[in-house]
Amino acid sequence: MKHIIIRMTALCLPLGTMLCIAGCMTTMAPNYTQPAAPVPAAWPDGPAYQKVAPQSSQKPLAEIPWREFYLDGKLQKLIALALQNNRDLRVAALNIERFRALYQIRRSDLFPKVDASAGASFQRIPEDFSSTGKAMRVDQYSVGLGVSSYELDLFGRVRSLKEQALEQFLATEQARRSVQISLVSQVAVTYLALAADREWLQLAKATLANQLESYKLTKSRFEAGVSNALVLNQAQTTVDAARVDIARYTAFVAQDENALDLVVGSKVPAELLPQALSESLTSLKDISPGLRSEVLLTRPDILQAEGQLKGVNANIGAARAAFFPRITLVSSIGFGSEELAGLFKGGSFAWKFAPQITLPIFDGGSNIANLKVTEVDRDIAVAQYEKAIQTAFREVADALAQRGTIDDQIAAQQSLADATAESYRLSQARFDKGVDSYLTLLDSHRSLYSAQQNLIGARLARLANLVTLYKVLGGGDKN
């Protein structure tokens, strides 16, 4: 007696025919329509914004490689180190690999999976169970080649899931671009903060040195009886204020160095650290933001949000297909025998064809609820996409507003610093001649020190604004 047991499955239809059918499938996903941008058609204008000639031939900032934008050699090396070592960027790159693999898994569901197997079983049947009344031994051998449980995707369920996985994969690439743009900007901003704090520290040290000389002179005059205790104590306050600032900015410098180490992803060599703010940090001299739609809709964070929207839109097709029959083609082909030697002899060939169709009749409303979930997910993704555009518009508009006023602010601050320096010089001369009190000289010094500090802050704001403009206009992902 022969016993044929074949567990491998294969489609009886020719493989080419099945692939042709699968290739002709359509999905039930709604046609994708890009939502209208919920922002004005033009950038804001007004007193805060510069007038830019429409015929400006400047290349869009998003197309300028960061090596051409950031001219400072030390900063270029730091950005290169960050792109190599930063963990956030590394995670973003690994996410791309992960979603690429997930997409390949979904895509493989469109094709039959070919397997090969061989098996054997040995069984003793007792007398009570044997039809002959005698105990018997049954040996079974099988070998097969086939494709297991292939779903004929007539209504596009599998294809919709594949499209969703594809859009998620493409969105992760845009996410990596966003991370790189943010990383390049973060390195530059941290570099600038360190440069400004070191310049503030140098100013505090220079101020302390000057005030110590003044204090020594005042003390000697007090000891000689020429000056009084009030003037001596007023001189002491200027020394102590400078000492406070030195301690404060020393801590700030150390914190900035720690922040730079973190964003770069490794210990930054001392020779790459800035000593003061450099006005030649970037190549940006003038700015032409371009057309709103061209700038915003090509930003990677917005492309990422749109990719996620396309993904949930495709998922609706899979939810709709769940209402329709699922057709599974199952068959088997192979050889079986009770003897290993007779496995491939004549008469051992066997096949089986078992198509199956499943039609949902009652599921307690789960299919309807699942479709509702996907439709709500689509509406949420639309709102998130629109919010991403609005956020991008606001970021660019804010940066342009600061760009339009920062040069005037620096010019005014420079003039104020020059005027207070001259005022301090005159106050010092009048105090030396005994015309003015030391309190007037002290006020002049405080005004000068504050003006010098604010000038450094204004220069920092201008350079940081250039970095921000480069970032919000999509620059930084090209080497």
Side-chain angles (χ1 to χ4, degrees):
M1 179 176 62
K2 287 189 176 181
H3 300 271
I4 303 175
I5 299 180
I6 305 176
R7 299 300 182 191
M8 296 304 298
T9 59
L11 295 178
C12 288
L13 290 176
L15 184 59
T17 303
M18 294 186 298
L19 295 179
C20 181
I21 294 175
C24 297
M25 303 299 176
T26 59
T27 69
M28 303 186 71
N31 293 330
Y32 172 75
T33 302
Q34 185 181 54
V39 293
W43 299 115
D45 61 7
Y49 301 93
Q50 289 180 338
K51 299 295 182 182
V52 180
Q55 66 273 15
S56 175
S57 59
Q58 175 184 300
K59 183 164 62 173
L61 287 185
E63 298 181 10
I64 299 177
W66 61 262
R67 291 185 182 276
E68 295 181 12
F69 181 80
Y70 294 109
L71 303 180
D72 187 279
K74 293 180 179 179
L75 181 55
Q76 286 184 347
K77 293 179 181 179
L78 287 179
I79 293 175
L81 283 175
L83 294 178
Q84 181 179 1
N85 299 323
N86 183 266
R87 272 38 177 198
D88 290 335
L89 188 61
R90 188 173 299 175
V91 169
L94 292 173
N95 274 331
I96 293 177
E97 297 302 318
R98 179 176 183 272
F99 279 92
R100 178 186 286 114
L102 290 174
Y103 165 65
Q104 290 172 345
I105 292 173
R106 285 297 186 185
R107 185 173 180 271
S108 69
D109 291 338
L110 294 171
F111 305 96
K113 296 177 175 60
V114 179
D115 300 309
S117 71
S121 69
F122 309 97
Q123 181 181 11
R124 182 183 183 278
I125 301 177
E127 296 177 358
D128 291 346
F129 295 160
S130 173
S131 60
T132 64
K134 296 181 180 180
M136 59 183 299
R137 174 177 170 174
V138 178
D139 297 341
Q140 300 171 339
Y141 301 90
S142 64
V143 63
L145 177 68
V147 180
S148 59
S149 191
Y150 176 67
E151 180 179 348
L152 195 59
D153 194 28
L154 292 177
F155 301 100
R157 188 189 72 87
V158 178
R159 190 169 293 276
S160 292
L161 294 176
K162 185 267 295 184
E163 290 298 326
Q164 180 202 27
L166 174 61
E167 294 299 339
Q168 288 179 331
F169 161 58
L170 296 177
T172 56
E173 170 58 26
Q174 300 302 329
R176 187 208 62 79
R177 290 182 58 208
S178 291
V179 171
Q180 177 168 332
I181 288 174
S182 296
L183 175 61
V184 170
S185 172
Q186 189 176 2
V187 172
V189 168
T190 307
Y191 182 86
L192 287 173
L194 175 58
D197 283 337
R198 283 193 164 187
E199 194 164 330
W200 273 315
L201 179 59
Q202 292 170 5
L203 175 62
K205 288 181 177 180
T207 299
L208 176 61
N210 291 335
Q211 293 309 308
L212 280 175
E213 291 297 323
S214 177
Y215 175 76
K216 291 178 182 178
L217 178 60
T218 302
K219 186 177 181 180
S220 63
R221 294 177 67 180
F222 170 76
E223 292 173 347
V226 179
S227 182
N228 56 46
L230 176 60
V231 172
L232 180 63
N233 283 298
Q234 289 173 335
Q236 180 69 45
T237 62
T238 62
V239 173
D240 291 338
R243 290 173 57 196
V244 168
D245 281 348
I246 288 176
R248 183 158 58 97
Y249 286 116
T250 298
F252 288 165
V253 167
Q255 291 170 348
D256 292 338
E257 291 175 354
N258 294 337
L260 201 56
D261 289 343
L262 176 61
V263 71
V264 169
S266 62
K267 181 64 178 177
V268 176
E271 61 270 16
L272 296 183
L273 298 177
Q275 299 302 318
L277 290 173
S278 171
E279 299 301 332
S280 60
L281 178 77
T282 75
S283 63
L284 184 60
K285 304 302 180 184
D286 197 2
I287 178 65
S288 176
L291 299 177
R292 174 195 50 76
S293 59
E294 291 179 354
V295 172
L296 296 184
L297 299 185
T298 57
R299 274 187 26 161
D301 57 334
I302 295 177
L303 292 176
Q304 179 188 0
E306 186 177 15
Q308 292 168 342
L309 171 58
K310 291 179 180 179
V312 296
N313 190 73
N315 205 29
I316 294 176
R320 287 177 174 176
F323 288 90
F324 295 85
R326 293 178 62 179
I327 301 174
T328 305
L329 301 180
V330 180
S331 67
S332 61
I333 183 172
F335 303 90
S337 175
E338 62 183 3
E339 296 179 358
L340 182 60
L343 189 60
F344 297 103
K345 291 182 178 180
S348 63
F349 176 75
W351 62 266
K352 178 182 178 182
F353 177 56
Q356 181 180 3
I357 181 168
T358 304
L359 177 63
I361 296 177
F362 176 75
D363 59 10
S366 63
N367 281 341
I368 295 177
N370 187 54
L371 176 59
K372 181 63 177 178
V373 168
T374 59
E375 291 174 343
V376 173
D377 285 343
R378 188 259 319 272
D379 294 340
I380 292 173
V382 169
Q384 291 173 334
Y385 173 68
E386 292 174 341
K387 178 63 180 297
I389 294 177
Q390 290 175 333
T391 301
F393 184 87
R394 187 264 173 93
E395 290 174 349
V396 177
D398 285 352
L400 291 175
Q402 186 179 25
R403 171 63 174 166
T405 57
I406 191 65
D407 288 339
D408 292 340
Q409 180 182 341
I410 290 180
Q413 191 64 49
Q414 183 66 63
S415 178
L416 177 61
D418 294 341
T420 53
E422 180 63 16
S423 176
Y424 176 71
R425 187 187 67 80
L426 294 175
S427 294
Q428 182 70 57
R430 290 171 64 86
F431 172 75
D432 292 340
K433 294 179 180 179
V435 177
D436 281 342
S437 66
Y438 190 79
L439 181 60
T440 302
L441 176 63
L442 182 60
D443 287 340
S444 296
H445 172 263
R446 288 173 176 169
S447 297
L448 173 60
Y449 186 45
S450 176
Q452 290 173 330
Q453 287 181 315
N454 290 338
L455 181 59
I456 295 174
R459 291 169 51 222
L460 171 61
R462 181 179 184 277
L463 292 172
N465 174 251
L466 299 180
V467 173
T468 300
L469 272 172
Y470 185 56
K471 171 189 173 183
V472 299
L473 291 175
D477 69 320
K478 293 179 174 61
N479 295 333

